[in-house]
Each structure stands twice: as C-alpha cells, then as structure tokens.
Amino acid sequence: MDERIEGTGGNVADFYGENVFSLKNMKNYLSENAYKSLLCTIKDGCSIDPGIADEVADAMKTWAVEKGATHFTHWFQPLTGATAEKHDSFIQPDEEGGVVLKFSGEELIKGEPDASSFPSGGLRATFEARGYTAWDPTSPAFIKDGGNGSTLCIPTAFYSYHGEALDKKTPLLRSAAVLSKQVCRLAKLFGIDIQNKKAYATLGPEQEYFLIDRSFYEARLDLIQTGRTLFGKAPAKHQQMDDHYFGAIKPRVMAFMDELDRELWKLGIPAKTRHNEVCPAQFELAPVFEEQNLSVDHNMITMEILKKVAERYEFICLLHEKPFAGVNGSGKHNNWSITGPDGKNWLTPGDDPHENAKFLTIICALMKAIDTYAGVLRSSVATAGNDHRLGANEAPPAILSIFLGDQLYDVIEQIEKGGAKSSKKTDAIEIGVDSLPTLPRDVTDRNRTSPFAFTGNKFEFRAVGSNQSCASANVVLNTIVADALCGICDELEEKVSSGNDFNESLQKVLQDIVKKHKKILFNGDNYTDEWHKEAAKRGLLNLKNTPEALESMKDPKVVELFEKHKVLSKTELMSRYDIYEKQYDTTIAIEASVALTMAKTMIIPVALEYQSEIADTIESISGCGCKTSATQELLKELCAETEKALAGIKKLSKAIDSEKSADMIKAMDELRVPVDALEGLLPAEIWPLPSYAEMLFLM
Ligand code: ADP
Ligand code: MG
C-alpha cells in the first residue's frame, strides 16, 4: 500500500520551482523575442523593454490561472520589516454577464497601493499618501497558495510620488548597481572584459528559528504579543549538555521540515541544509546561495513559510532573536561574496598570482570598508530583539572586527611590509607576482565568535537578527565595499595613467590600506573581556544597544557616503533613522506593558492565593501543636518575593509613564527576578504559565 501523505511524494526535480514564473516556465509561455529580452534584463541588467510588458503580463496570467490563481498582487517590503500585499483579481466583466481574465503590462509594471499607513518617516505627507510599486523583473513572480485559491505575487520596489524609496528593496537594488559599477571598474584595471557584463553580490542566509507546541504559545501572553518570554525560570537542564546540536531530529519536527523544504522548493527557494541548533527546540535552515536581491526576497518568503508550515504541525515558529532568556538566541548568518564580471567568485583565493591579486584587493577593500564604517554596519542590525543577542554569550559581540584566520592574516602582514622588488631577502608577498599559500577551508572556519569572518570563499556577517530582513545589512555592505573599491580605483587609475606599473601601484595601495586599517583584524575569542579592552584601545566602536547604534546613521560621513553613491538621499536616510528609532521605542513600550499586565493579573494573584493558603495551613496545624518553623520560613520567602514583585510592578508602571525605553528595560529586568523566583516557589499546578522545560522539551 502506498502510505505517502498526499503531496509529499514525488521527485524533487519534477516539482522544484513549479510555483515560480521561472526562466524554465517563461520559455514555455513567451515568444522567443520576449523571452530573450527579459533574459537580458534578468541576467545582464539591460533595462526592461516596455514593448514586451503586455506579452509578459499575459503570459504570467495564463500560467498563474492554470495554477489556480484568481488574483495578483504587487508584493513589496515596506519599512516595517515585513512584506506587504494588496490583491486584485484578474476579472473584468464582459458585456454579457460574464467575465474575462485580464492582466496588462501596465498593471505588471506599476501599481499604486494606498500607502498612507506604512511608516514613511516623514517622506510622505498624508495629503500625498500615494505610494507606487514597480516590478522587479530580477526576482521572479511566484504563486502563493491560499487554501481555497491562489495569488500571483510580483516582487516590486515601493516608492513615493517624488521617487523616494519607501522600502528595503529599492536601496538594495541601488547599492547592488553601485557595487557592480565599482567591481567592474576594478575588473577593467585587471584587464577583464566588462562589456555588457555586471558584477553582483551573492548571499546565503543561514536562518535560525525555534519551534514550540502551539498550546504553550497560546497560554503565554508574552509570546503572543511580543514574540519572546518576558518571564520564565531557567530549567535545570537546557543546553548545557550540547546534546541538541546536530542531534537526531524528532519525528514531528522531521515531518515539519520535510514539508517545509517541499514548500520552499516549489517556490524555487533552494533550501539545502537543516539541523538541530544549540538550544533545545532551536533549528537552522540554510539555502544554497543566490544573487543577493533574489536571496533577500527568498529569505523573506522563507520566514513566512516557516510560520505557515509550523502551524500545520501544531507548532509555532518563533523568529524572535531571543525568545528565551539564558539560552541561545537566533541569528541569521549573512554569507556574502562578490561574483565579478568574469563570472568568478572574487573571494576565492585563486591558483595564480593574478587571481590572488583580485582576491587580496577585495579583502583589503573589506578591511577599509568595515573599519571606516563599522558604526553604520552595526546600525543595520540594530533592533530591540537583536539587542538581547549581540554581546550576549553566544552571539557575536557588538564590536565589529574581521576574522581572517592565521594564514591569511600572515599574508596581510606581508603586504604591510611591502614586496619591494629591490630587497631580495624579503618574505613579503609581491602582489600580482607571488602566489598565496593555499588556504584550506577548515583553517578559515574555526572562529565562531567573530562577527565578520572569512570562511574560505565568502564573508559571514553573523550579527543579523533572525527576525530581520537581510536587506539593510546588505545595503550597507554593498555600499561601503563599493566606496572602498571606488577609492582604490581612483588611486590606481591615477597611478597607471601617469605611467606606473599596475602591480607595483596595487601593492602600494594595498599596503597603505593595511597600515591604516589593520586594527579591524582580530583572530581571537571575541567573547573575552581582554578583547573588549583591546578593542577600546584600538579605538573600535562598541555600540551596545539600538539607540547608540542608530546614532551612526546621522554621522555626516555616513550621510555623505550614501548621497555620494546615490543609494539613499539624506532625507531617505533620516526617515529610516526616525522609523527604526520609533520601532525600537514601540517594541519596548509594548513589552513593558505586557510584562506589567502579566505580573499584575497573572502572577500576583496566584502568589497571594498561595500565601494565604500557607498562612491558613500554619494556623490550622499549629493549633494541633505541630511544628511550623520551616513552613513559616517558606511563607516568609514567599511574602518577600511577592513584595519585591509588587515593588517591581510599581517601578515598571512609573517607567512606562516616563516613556523612557531605558527605564522600562531596567524595570522589566528587575521585575523578572522576583517573578522567576516565585515560579520556583509556587506549586507547578497553579503557576499560570507554561515553563521553559515544557516549551523547550515537549514536542
Ligand atoms: P557553515 O559552516 O557556516 O554552516 P556552509 O558551508 O553550510 O557554512 O554555508 C553556509 C551558507 O553560505 C550557505 O547558505 C551557502 O550557500 C552560503 N555560501 C556558500 N558560498 C557562498 C558564496 N560564494 N556567496 C554567498 N554565500 C555563500
Ligand atoms: Mg555559518
């Protein structure tokens, strides 16, 4: 008997990408001319030919309707950090009481959702509330199943009447173009053909998440309202034994993961790796890397599918960066690299000196970029949720530094010495002449504490939060690296045009960079106090929380950087500052208010109830002449913690009235102490919240 559950059988190669209007699907639905034109736009960055829009729209509609779609939507990424969609059906009444299904090129290319309720940070006054969405042909349209029908989703950029970016995709696309321009400039200096070619960043985001049973989630107001537990006593056993990491996957979770992968594959999302993470109930999913813009979109969809599929298995997927105190939080390792116009990964150390010179130039550009703009890179991962993680003991610290591994570090030191041709005895490397020692991957992948680590053929920026869009971090990465490359190219072009040898000029440029920016390199343990002291000595920034980090966005140097490369105007940048600051304050205010409600209406009542029960018990048993001293001790302890909790409530209430986030955080932390102590004193059966042990272990 075939026992396969419906929809879970079949060969992945047959259904992979079946819900995406992929190149494969396009070929079958478009004329050869339209297909070629669109292919040029997607692969080589040619502009969209408006002449083919009607045909593409019609083909998309035909394909989507065959797959059961009744609606289409421009799918976009407003500054809320989530995704947005407003559906329109394909129907148009005919004159005979029926309908025809239509989708025009105009509707494909541009949309106009009423945008008045999205955060715009002052970019859009309510009287001109219009926002526009523009088709991004480089990210394929896809179909979202709705249960009783489905919707064609068209990835779009979202901007205001005056053309200002209201979303996360627009600056990402702009920064990608800037990076391409500067990499191609450098490529040209290396003698690489850049005619009709582009360079692009690649991205592979490793996504961490928690799963807990739905019934526990529903019994916790804090999880429902804030995505994290605001109270909860650490269980005796959590992750100390390291027995969850890479452990055998429990059957219910396995079933979930199987379905998750299938759903992702149908959407052309190349989910590759799955495993148990460090904390019980924590897991990771990693896709095969893709072109950055596509990968960012895919990660947004992945987060949505994670939540959706989890519910089918009576799980809730928690994407918060720190759902549980005292154990590991969740991040997103942002694996980033550059593919040059030669189609090669420029972060792969090559076999010959020429390839190595490209590689070392990018490494030096990254050193300069991160060292110069650490603040704004830090700001791109600053959220209330991620504050619990950065600097805590499992995540990278808030101090940004680069890990290169010993061998590459040694090469950098040689560059610093300079490979002067005259000195015969030098061990310094001569750029463009000497080969690099082979850098085995296992040597470069050892340091798990670094926020920005070279891992063999890519850099891994580990500070992105699990709940965040990767867009912001990648906008900053693209722009700061492009800017560093711009500086390098300026100098090289100048030197070469005045007759200097290319390799010698490059050697000098890289040597200068290393001398100036070597302080950003750190191979040691990033969690230690010594490093924090050393980093301070080196003058590296340690922006401990979101308010501090966001200030970097106002740095005139940063404003100038984004304006120079036309990634964000000053107004656009400041609007983001305003929005992120407000999001932070609102998040904290909501948490504070939920903590207050829970303490007042759930915790204190049971504490008082138990107190009076014990007091009654003491009275009745002492009447019989029994000893009650230890019971009285218990009552005392209970009273003391309850009093502390009540005092904490008062303090939190005051902090909420003050509207100061920092005060609220402090008051929440203080209130948590007696509440967690009470959890350890009260009978488990009357404690009103599911425990950490239940949530982390029962699935
Ligand atoms: P880890 O040891 O961190 O788990 P993996 O080899 O599993 O490393 O890779 C992690 C992620 O890095 C994957 O999503 C992978 O696709 C991605 N990755 C690999 N090469 C590149 C690249 N050139 N550019 C961007 N991401 C990459
Ligand atoms: Mg990793």
Side-chain angles (χ1 to χ4, degrees):
M1 198 177 77
D2 187 354
E3 292 204 279
R4 282 185 313 212
I5 307 162
E6 198 195 340
T8 60
N11 180 339
V12 53
D14 294 336
F15 63 78
Y16 188 90
E18 75 177 25
N19 286 345
V20 206
F21 197 56
S22 57
L23 291 178
K24 201 165 129 191
N25 280 323
M26 277 177 208
K27 243 188 215 156
N28 298 329
Y29 286 80
L30 286 173
S31 68
E32 204 182 320
N33 270 349
Y35 174 75
K36 275 194 183 147
S37 163
L38 196 53
L39 189 66
C40 181
T41 302
I42 295 166
K43 290 273 180 215
D44 301 322
C46 321
S47 13
I48 306 167
D49 170 9
I52 63 161
D54 275 328
E55 188 186 332
V56 176
D58 196 59
M60 261 187 200
K61 180 209 70 190
T62 306
W63 168 78
V65 169
E66 278 172 20
K67 305 211 83 71
T70 51
H71 290 70
F72 71 93
T73 180
H74 276 197
W75 179 82
F76 59 103
Q77 294 160 37
L79 293 167
T80 54
T83 60
E85 50 190 80
K86 174 190 159 204
H87 301 190
D88 278 303
S89 71
F90 292 120
I91 67 159
Q92 232 172 65
D94 60 15
E95 303 286 295
E96 301 171 340
V99 288
V100 281
L101 303 183
K102 284 225 160 104
F103 184 46
S104 68
E106 213 175 310
E107 287 172 302
L108 166 65
I109 287 182
K110 193 169 175 184
E112 192 190 328
D114 174 12
S116 50
S117 292
F118 288 113
S120 79
L123 279 179
R124 202 191 45 227
T126 25
F127 62 86
E128 47 179 49
R130 262 177 237 179
Y132 300 91
T133 47
W135 176 36
D136 168 17
T138 61
S139 182
F142 58 94
I143 285 178
K144 226 189 220 191
D145 278 326
N148 290 325
S150 49
T151 304
L152 172 68
C153 299
I154 297 149
T156 52
F158 180 47
Y159 57 97
S160 77
Y161 182 71
H162 299 290
E164 283 144 336
L166 295 173
D167 69 345
K168 303 214 169 202
K169 187 190 268 281
T170 307
L172 182 67
L173 292 174
R174 290 179 188 160
S175 71
V178 171
L179 183 69
S180 176
K181 184 173 150 194
Q182 298 302 335
V183 174
C184 286
R185 232 180 120 192
L186 183 66
K188 196 171 165 206
L189 283 161
F190 274 98
I192 294 164
D193 175 23
I194 59 166
Q195 195 70 32
N196 294 326
K197 299 252 163 56
K198 66 170 183 179
Y200 55 92
T202 48
L203 172 67
E206 297 164 64
Q207 176 75 50
E208 292 178 332
Y209 60 94
F210 277 86
L211 290 177
I212 62 164
D213 191 273
R214 188 189 182 121
S215 61
F216 297 140
Y217 173 85
E218 285 173 353
R220 295 210 51 138
L221 186 66
D222 45 8
L223 284 178
I224 294 173
Q225 293 254 290
T226 72
R228 74 178 181 102
T229 55
L230 299 171
F231 302 110
K233 189 179 168 298
K237 177 179 190 279
H238 44 90
Q239 63 185 45
Q240 310 95 316
M241 314 285 280
D242 288 326
D243 50 356
H244 191 254
Y245 190 58
F246 285 8
I249 300 168
K250 287 181 182 170
R252 183 171 158 207
V253 175
M254 196 65 244
F256 155 81
M257 285 181 170
D258 273 330
E259 186 161 335
L260 173 69
D261 281 345
R262 275 160 203 278
E263 292 282 353
L264 295 173
W265 290 336
K266 277 195 218 161
L267 289 166
I269 299 173
K272 178 91 173 166
T273 310
R274 58 191 191 192
H275 62 81
N276 286 357
E277 253 304 327
V278 170
C279 183
Q282 192 187 28
F283 310 92
E284 182 180 294
L285 166 104
V288 177
F289 69 94
E290 299 177 286
E291 188 166 341
Q292 186 184 52
N293 171 49
L294 181 61
S295 183
V296 169
D297 283 359
H298 278 171
N299 181 250
M300 295 306 289
I301 302 171
T302 299
M303 290 196 279
E304 187 179 324
I305 306 274
L306 269 166
K307 290 185 202 159
K308 197 163 103 179
V309 175
E311 292 197 24
R312 290 184 204 152
Y313 290 82
E314 293 296 312
F315 283 131
I316 293 292
C317 174
L318 302 175
L319 289 176
H320 193 284
E321 284 78 11
K322 198 79 177 178
F324 303 99
V327 290
N328 270 24
S330 299
K332 192 133 59 187
H333 290 179
N334 191 94
N335 292 275
W336 182 96
S337 189
I338 295 175
T339 298
D342 52 1
K344 293 182 182 166
N345 177 357
W346 282 27
L347 278 174
T348 305
D351 299 327
D352 63 76
H354 190 72
E355 293 289 313
N356 289 334
K358 275 173 19 187
F359 168 73
L360 291 172
T361 309
I362 301 292
I363 296 282
C364 289
L366 270 154
M367 285 170 60
K368 182 179 173 189
I370 309 282
D371 190 34
T372 313
Y373 295 109
V376 68
L377 185 58
R378 167 71 182 88
S379 79
S380 73
V381 294
T383 63
N386 217 14
D387 277 3
H388 296 282
R389 193 178 151 250
L390 299 181
N393 244 5
E394 93 282 359
I399 306 165
L400 292 186
S401 66
I402 300 178
F403 168 84
L404 290 182
D406 293 339
Q407 277 175 296
L408 191 50
Y409 186 84
D410 185 52
V411 171
I412 295 296
E413 284 196 312
Q414 291 179 45
I415 293 176
E416 187 182 18
K417 284 185 215 153
K421 273 190 180 141
S422 50
S423 101
K424 282 189 186 104
K425 276 193 178 157
T426 180
D427 61 346
I429 202 152
E430 241 179 81
I431 300 288
V433 179
D434 292 342
S435 282
L436 286 182
T438 27
L439 304 168
R441 200 189 122 93
D442 54 342
V443 177
T444 60
D445 201 21
R446 270 188 205 139
N447 192 325
R448 309 305 290 183
T449 68
S450 173
F452 203 88
F454 178 66
T455 48
N457 59 354
K458 58 185 159 69
F459 272 92
E460 196 167 322
F461 182 39
R462 296 173 173 147
V464 183
S466 51
N467 209 7
Q468 270 191 298
S469 158
C470 298
S472 300
N474 286 289
V475 167
V476 174
L477 270 176
N478 291 349
T479 311
I480 63 178
V481 174
D483 187 67
L485 289 174
C486 180
I488 291 173
C489 290
D490 284 349
E491 272 193 68
L492 284 176
E493 283 166 1
E494 218 274 313
K495 282 191 194 317
V496 172
S497 71
S498 46
N500 292 298
D501 172 69
F502 175 72
N503 284 342
E504 270 173 38
S505 307
L506 183 62
Q507 180 98 37
K508 179 77 182 55
V509 171
L510 299 191
Q511 184 183 21
D512 288 348
I513 291 180
V514 173
K515 278 189 177 154
K516 202 159 160 205
H517 300 288
K518 206 176 96 180
K519 67 178 195 293
I520 196 71
L521 300 181
F522 180 61
N523 279 347
D525 184 348
N526 283 255
Y527 296 161
T528 60
D529 286 341
E530 292 81 63
W531 167 236
H532 288 225
K533 281 184 208 138
E534 165 67 17
K537 243 196 259 165
R538 293 190 194 182
L540 301 182
L541 288 174
N542 185 3
L543 305 172
K544 293 200 183 70
N545 53 41
T546 298
E548 275 182 37
L550 291 181
E551 287 307 308
S552 301
M553 295 170 79
K554 289 182 166 171
D555 183 344
K557 179 175 88 179
V558 169
V559 176
E560 200 189 312
L561 166 83
F562 284 112
E563 291 223 300
K564 174 182 169 193
H565 297 287
K566 299 195 165 54
V567 171
L568 288 168
S569 68
K570 183 171 183 185
T571 323
E572 288 173 324
L573 187 63
M574 288 312 110
S575 73
R576 280 151 181 80
Y577 172 86
D578 288 344
I579 291 167
Y580 299 152
E581 193 191 34
K582 182 152 181 255
Q583 273 166 2
Y584 174 82
D585 286 333
T586 310
T587 305
I588 303 295
I590 291 171
E591 288 183 352
S593 173
V594 171
L596 187 71
T597 302
M598 287 172 74
K600 274 165 107 169
T601 67
M602 303 177 89
I603 312 294
I604 295 296
V606 286
L608 293 177
E609 187 186 312
Y610 188 48
Q611 260 180 44
S612 93
E613 202 179 298
I614 298 184
D616 288 350
T617 308
I618 291 172
E619 204 175 281
S620 57
I621 58 177
S622 59
C624 315
C626 293
K627 262 176 101 176
T628 59
S629 56
T631 319
Q632 282 182 27
E633 287 288 318
L634 171 65
L635 182 59
K636 256 192 212 157
E637 199 182 344
L638 199 58
C639 290
E641 295 300 343
T642 309
E643 281 293 304
K644 275 190 222 158
L646 282 164
I649 285 172
K650 217 166 151 185
K651 198 162 169 192
L652 180 56
S653 193
K654 256 175 92 180
I656 292 173
D657 289 342
S658 80
E659 296 184 3
K660 285 191 190 126
S661 293
D663 290 358
M664 289 184 239
I665 292 173
K666 193 160 171 265
M668 273 193 280
D669 287 346
E670 279 176 29
L671 173 59
R672 182 171 185 147
V673 178
V675 169
D676 289 357
L678 285 169
E679 186 179 350
L681 292 172
L682 264 62
E685 60 181 29
I686 66 163
W687 188 252
L689 301 168
S691 69
Y692 268 34
E694 288 169 312
M695 288 186 283
L696 295 176
F697 288 94
L698 296 185
M699 57 178 51

